[in-house]
Amino acid sequence: MITIYHNNRCSKSREGVCFLENLKQPFEVINYLDQVPTYNELEAIIKKLNIKPIELIRIKEKDWTENFKGKTLTDKEIIEAMIQFPKLIERPIVINGEKAVVARPTALINEIL
């Protein structure tokens, strides 16, 4: 099943949900600000995305600039920062089995179908 990590306040995230609705396939929506992923879940998502944890961070987000900007953090500390401040997680993340994309632009979802 396809899963989307979604934030209702984000237009790109809403576009991702609309894209998936138009596919007419079942998918699961995880509102990650309410259901914050665990360390292990984030680690698995990052592995599926084939990126480094810092690449999943919204570095212009206020929580990042106020708390972490200019600091040298380990991958573990970056993942822990995402758990503490889930707004830092880039969105939307769409997962299909072992494949995943940050759907910016939305058309990237096609790469994992």
Side-chain angles (χ1 to χ4, degrees):
M1 175 179 292
I2 297 171
T3 302
I4 182 168
Y5 284 81
H6 173 61
N7 177 348
N8 276 330
R9 294 184 182 158
C10 174
S11 63
K12 295 292 183 192
S13 196
R14 290 191 305 269
E15 287 174 21
V17 169
C18 280
F19 184 94
L20 293 174
E21 287 172 343
N22 289 332
L23 291 177
K24 308 266 191 258
Q25 293 182 34
F27 66 95
E28 175 185 18
V29 176
I30 296 176
N31 292 304
Y32 69 90
L33 295 180
D34 298 327
Q35 296 174 272
V36 180
T38 66
Y39 184 93
N40 289 339
E41 288 169 333
L42 278 171
E43 198 172 43
I45 290 167
I46 291 163
K47 184 177 180 183
K48 288 177 184 182
L49 289 167
N50 195 28
I51 61 173
K52 296 202 176 293
I54 191 66
E55 295 175 73
L56 194 57
I57 293 284
R58 297 171 51 83
I59 60 171
K60 294 181 182 176
E61 187 68 44
K62 183 179 176 183
D63 289 332
W64 182 262
T65 59
E66 289 183 354
N67 297 291
F68 306 104
K69 187 177 181 180
K71 294 182 179 177
T72 302
L73 302 175
T74 65
D75 288 351
K76 181 179 184 210
E77 290 169 327
I78 293 168
I79 294 170
E80 288 170 349
M82 287 187 262
I83 294 166
Q84 184 178 1
F85 300 101
K87 282 185 187 177
L88 295 178
I89 301 170
E90 188 62 82
R91 61 204 177 241
I93 301 167
V94 181
I95 300 171
N96 186 13
E98 292 303 310
K99 301 176 190 174
V101 293
V102 175
R104 296 175 78 88
T106 306
L108 290 175
I109 296 171
N110 286 314
E111 293 180 7
I112 63 167
L113 296 178

